[in-house]
């Protein structure tokens, strides 16, 4: 990440950041005046800040007003009157989102190779969400000894960049994942289990409920004969496991 984000980018980001309503909630960043702290922020601290933002009514309203603003035709946006915030504050937040996305696109650009380096260093072979699809990066070695990046996994923002643009380039918010999980299943939805902090084995296990033993013993392709279930390890884990299945 350090390779793809220059100092002048950071200065511009901080000028936008300090004008964002409720930016003071990320007190460590505002106090240190160092946007790089966002990129290297530990997973536990990211989660703590997300909880703070989620519990702040003004921040929730800010996101609502931003969504409304973006739904309006561009030529009519100057007439938008947001609740609780000045129009300039809404525009600043949107600009911050856009600039963070531009830097993320630069980070992911094939020519930079930064995203490839990250995924290769993490050495995660299967998608952590479904544990079904392989996500190894494919790098071709040419006859002259040089390497060429061919294919890599998606990088999911565990905390979506639309709701939490501050963590768009945070190392511990980037989860290597397959296309189906990132684009089809998760999208901008909030998941319960945070891969960098939570281990599903600690709270749940898989079980099989066999309804027709006779048929199952002769025909393993009969999916109606059995059901695979995710079961809590303890009664106290029931609510968490139920949320995982939503």
């Amino acid at each position: 990440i350090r390779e793809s984000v220059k100092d002048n980018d950071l200065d511009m980001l901080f000028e936008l950041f300090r004008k964002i309503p409720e930016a003071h909630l990320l007190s460590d960043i505002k106090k240190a005046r160092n946007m790089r702290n966002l990129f290297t922020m530990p997973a536990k601290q990211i989660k703590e800040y997300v909880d703070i933002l989620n519990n702040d009514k003004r921040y929730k309203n800010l996101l609502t007003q931003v969504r409304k603003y973006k739904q309006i035709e561009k030529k009519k946006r100057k007439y938008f009157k947001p609740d609780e915030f000045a129009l300039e504050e809404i525009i600043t937040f949107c600009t911050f989102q856009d600039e963070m996305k531009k830097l993320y696109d630069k980070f992911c650009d094939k020519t930079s190779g930064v995203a490839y380096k990250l995924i290769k260093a993490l050495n995660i072979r299967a998608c952590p969400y479904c544990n079904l699809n392989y996500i190894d990066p494919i790098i071709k070695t040419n006859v002259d000894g040089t390497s060429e990046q061919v294919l890599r996994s998606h990088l999911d923002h565990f905390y979506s960049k639309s709701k939490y643009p501050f963590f768009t380039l945070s190392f511990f918010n980037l989860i290597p994942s397959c296309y189906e999980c990132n684009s089809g299943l998760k999208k901008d939805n909030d998941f319960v289990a945070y891969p960098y902090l939570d281990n599903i084995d600690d709270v749940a296990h898989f079980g099989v409920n066999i309804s027709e033993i006779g048929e199952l013993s002769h025909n393993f392709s009969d999916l109606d004969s059995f059901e695979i279930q995710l079961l809590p390890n303890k009664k106290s884990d029931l609510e968490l496991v139920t949320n995982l299945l939503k």
Side-chain angles (χ1 to χ4, degrees):
I1 293 176
R2 186 178 294 271
E3 294 178 30
S4 61
V5 182
K6 308 304 179 185
D7 288 340
N8 58 332
D9 294 327
L10 295 174
D11 293 339
M12 174 270 295
L13 282 176
F14 185 78
E15 285 306 304
L16 289 170
F17 170 80
R18 69 183 185 85
K19 296 176 183 177
I20 291 176
E22 305 302 275
H24 65 276
L25 294 174
L26 283 77
S27 53
D28 290 349
I29 306 304
K30 198 159 187 180
K31 184 177 180 181
R33 300 178 62 87
N34 188 351
M35 295 300 290
R36 286 200 191 277
N37 289 358
L38 277 175
F39 309 150
T40 58
M41 185 176 287
K44 186 177 180 181
Q45 190 174 5
I46 291 176
K47 188 175 187 302
E48 288 172 354
Y49 272 134
V50 167
D51 288 342
I52 290 172
L53 292 170
N54 281 339
N55 289 319
D56 185 78
K57 291 182 179 179
R58 271 179 55 88
Y59 186 73
K60 286 183 178 179
N61 189 30
L62 173 63
L63 293 179
T64 300
Q65 300 307 310
V66 166
R67 282 194 295 271
K68 289 181 178 179
Y69 175 77
K70 288 186 173 183
Q71 289 170 356
I72 299 173
E73 291 181 49
K74 286 188 177 181
K75 61 182 179 181
K76 296 181 180 179
R77 287 178 178 175
K78 60 183 179 182
Y79 303 113
F80 179 64
K81 295 182 179 180
D83 296 337
E84 200 174 357
F85 302 100
L87 179 57
E88 183 181 347
E89 293 177 312
I90 301 297
I91 294 173
T92 298
F93 188 86
C94 292
T95 305
F96 183 80
Q97 285 179 316
D98 294 341
E99 292 300 328
M100 288 295 277
K101 186 180 182 303
K102 287 179 186 176
L103 289 177
Y104 176 72
D105 290 342
K106 188 190 298 184
F107 165 79
C108 289
D109 189 273
K110 196 173 181 179
T111 56
S112 73
V114 184
Y116 272 87
K117 290 178 184 178
L118 171 61
I119 294 168
K120 188 176 180 181
L122 287 171
N123 194 30
I124 300 173
R125 301 204 61 196
C127 173
Y129 293 136
C130 66
N131 200 32
L132 180 65
N133 293 317
Y134 286 110
I135 57 172
D136 283 337
I138 299 175
I139 301 176
K140 181 176 73 173
T141 302
N142 299 316
V143 291
D144 60 358
T146 59
S147 60
E148 182 181 345
Q149 298 144 11
V150 179
L151 189 68
R152 66 166 177 82
S153 71
H154 282 226
L155 280 171
D156 171 55
H157 288 84
F158 185 79
Y159 297 113
S160 77
K161 53 185 179 290
S162 59
K163 295 179 185 175
Y164 316 101
F166 318 105
F167 309 117
T168 297
L169 275 169
S170 298
F171 173 84
F172 288 106
N173 192 37
L174 300 176
I175 314 293
S177 58
C178 67
Y179 171 80
E180 287 80 2
C181 285
N182 184 34
S183 300
L185 174 64
K186 187 174 180 295
K187 298 181 181 179
D188 278 352
N189 298 319
D190 291 333
F191 273 15
V192 176
Y194 185 10
Y196 284 116
L197 291 180
D198 303 318
N199 186 345
I200 190 65
D201 293 337
D202 293 338
V203 295
H205 63 277
F206 286 104
V208 179
N209 180 22
I210 301 174
S211 57
E212 300 176 28
I213 297 177
E215 284 190 35
L216 181 64
S217 62
H218 293 91
N219 184 7
F220 289 96
S221 64
D222 183 4
L223 300 181
D224 293 328
S225 298
F226 65 96
E227 178 186 13
I228 298 176
Q229 300 173 321
L230 186 63
L231 304 170
N233 291 342
K234 305 186 298 290
K235 286 185 178 180
S236 57
D237 296 326
L238 179 60
E239 183 178 356
L240 175 59
V241 172
T242 301
N243 288 332
L244 281 172
L245 296 171
K246 287 182 178 179

